[in-house]
Amino acid sequence: MKAIQISHSQELNIINIPEPQAPGQGEVLLRLRYVGFCGSDINTFMGRNAMALNPVIPGHEVGATIETVGPDVPEGLKPGMVVTCNPYTNCGKCASCRNGRVNACEHNQTLGVQRDGAMREFIVLPWEKVIPAGLMSPRDCALIEPMSVGFHAVSRALVTDIDVVMVIGCGMVGMGAIVRSVLRGATVVAADIDDDKLALARKMGATYTINTRTENVHQRLLEMTSGFGPDVVIEAVGSVPTYQMAVDEVSFTGRVVCIGYAKSEVSFQTKYFVQKELDIRGSRNAMPQDFRAVIHYMERGTCPVDELITRVIRPDEALDTMRWWSQNPGKVFRILVEF
């Protein structure tokens, strides 16, 4: 069967690998319909992802159908069902797993990063990692995982309806944070350097937008919040300026949640940590309930999914598309590969 493999920096190939046999005990065989390329994949392609295998089959944003099920799989999983998957592993033994936060397992191996992923025609997974997607289409299912990461960050921030939430970065993960904050009744400020993304953020429910390249961020936030600053800042970029902005702009006694990985060390005025008595939290991956929450939202039919999908391509178009993306990083939400 066909699979996409990133083997070296700027090198991507279509390879043939053995088709999986019948699923074993507790396993499910999935036929991949659509798989998304994400930010970690473009970093792998550019040779900047130190966590990724080399070579690696990328892909952890999945829209699939169940082909067959093995013995001892619950009756709720049946051939033909549209599903997505939880692409993370958890060891069950580390501190995170012991505390019930399996999304942050010390030994996690995400599909397409630390282990070969889903950019292939078929894959076998444990039934526990297969998530039924209700009435959603396989194409739209490929958007669930990245949005769930944003949903999880909002849970980490303990967002409520009295909060003003600033989301820095309006990519797919940031859009998930915007949606979940709006669903919780918060007032959302979306911040980005791209006006097209900010326009889409308004469609997703943001009340205010700030172009951080052309506007005075601090002054705009004071105007929007009666001088207090946002109660919550969610950092969904992973850069030195946006990390610093999050700490600088959050209100006194506010909460900062960090999703993005900065590629270099970040220097802070640590006096703000103390003076503001800040809660600063990391947010990693997503929990099963975050996946379910995204599905529940998307089944409403109000999500502008067509605007979140930049391109749908065939496997043989992947190399040219990744080269294009590497030269146009700010213009991509999600690129889906159709198998």
Side-chain angles (χ1 to χ4, degrees):
M1 66 176 177
K2 288 182 180 179
I4 293 173
Q5 184 184 71
I6 299 172
S7 52
H8 298 284
S9 178
Q10 302 279 334
E11 189 172 313
L12 181 152
N13 298 292
I14 307 300
I15 62 173
N16 286 306
I17 60 175
E19 190 170 313
Q21 302 301 309
Q25 185 171 6
E27 294 181 334
V28 177
L29 175 63
L30 301 184
R31 179 186 290 269
L32 281 308
R33 303 295 184 176
Y34 295 86
V35 182
F37 274 124
C38 77
S40 65
D41 297 323
I42 190 64
N43 281 325
T44 300
F45 179 74
M46 297 292 291
R48 299 187 301 221
N49 189 350
M51 294 187 296
L53 288 177
N54 187 8
V56 67
I57 297 172
H60 55 261
E61 302 175 356
V62 168
T65 53
I66 295 177
E67 191 76 2
T68 57
V69 300
D72 299 326
V73 170
E75 292 184 2
L77 296 175
K78 300 181 182 297
M81 289 182 66
V82 176
V83 298
T84 189
C85 77
N86 182 330
Y88 323 121
T89 63
N90 53 283
C91 70
K93 299 176 182 179
C94 70
S96 300
C97 291
R98 181 183 63 183
N99 292 329
R101 289 162 64 178
V102 295
N103 60 295
C105 174
E106 182 180 354
H107 307 291
N108 167 64
Q109 292 186 323
T110 299
L111 278 174
V113 185
Q114 294 93 350
R115 58 187 172 128
D116 280 334
M119 288 277 181
R120 59 178 86 184
E121 295 178 84
F122 294 94
I123 194 170
V124 172
L125 295 174
W127 73 262
E128 295 92 342
K129 298 299 183 182
V130 177
I131 303 172
L135 300 176
M136 290 181 61
S137 70
R139 185 199 71 164
D140 295 351
C141 282
L143 304 178
I144 293 172
E145 190 274 343
M147 290 194 73
S148 73
V149 175
F151 271 46
H152 182 68
V154 173
S155 295
R156 292 283 291 147
L158 305 175
V159 170
T160 73
D161 58 343
I162 63 172
D163 289 322
V164 176
V165 179
M166 178 186 185
V167 178
I168 306 176
C170 296
M172 276 296 301
V173 172
M175 289 297 184
I178 290 168
V179 168
R180 188 57 160 163
S181 297
V182 171
L183 290 173
R184 290 192 174 200
T187 300
V188 176
V189 181
D192 202 281
I193 61 174
D194 187 289
D195 286 331
D196 291 337
K197 289 185 175 181
L198 291 172
L200 184 52
R202 282 190 177 272
K203 291 185 180 180
M204 304 292 279
T207 301
Y208 304 106
T209 58
I210 300 175
N211 187 314
T212 58
R213 177 174 286 168
T214 62
E215 299 182 75
N216 186 317
V217 175
H218 182 69
Q219 187 61 40
R220 288 289 316 281
L221 285 172
L222 292 180
E223 293 168 359
M224 296 169 184
T225 62
S226 302
F228 292 108
D231 304 282
V232 174
V233 177
I234 296 176
E235 199 287 335
V237 176
S239 71
V240 173
T242 52
Y243 262 80
Q244 293 170 334
M245 182 188 299
V247 172
D248 290 348
E249 300 300 342
V250 72
S251 68
F252 274 66
T253 67
R255 288 99 74 197
V256 175
V257 174
C258 307
I259 311 174
Y261 284 89
K263 304 300 186 295
S264 58
E265 292 185 1
V266 184
S267 297
F268 291 104
Q269 291 290 339
T270 55
K271 66 179 183 180
Y272 291 147
F273 296 8
V274 178
Q275 287 180 347
K276 293 185 177 183
E277 198 175 50
L278 297 182
D279 291 334
I280 300 177
R281 295 184 165 196
S283 183
R284 183 183 180 192
N285 299 334
M287 293 285 280
Q289 56 265 36
D290 299 309
F291 284 82
R292 294 197 299 271
V294 173
I295 292 168
H296 180 66
Y297 159 68
M298 295 189 73
E299 283 184 321
R300 297 180 177 186
T302 58
C303 179
V305 289
D306 289 342
E307 295 184 58
L308 295 174
I309 299 171
T310 306
R311 289 186 180 183
V312 178
I313 64 172
R314 301 184 308 271
D316 59 8
E317 298 174 294
L319 177 57
D320 287 342
T321 300
M322 293 297 271
R323 286 173 173 166
W324 169 81
W325 188 5
S326 68
Q327 296 169 7
N328 298 275
K331 294 300 182 182
V332 173
F333 280 104
R334 270 306 174 271
I335 293 168
L336 305 185
V337 181
E338 181 178 6
F339 285 89

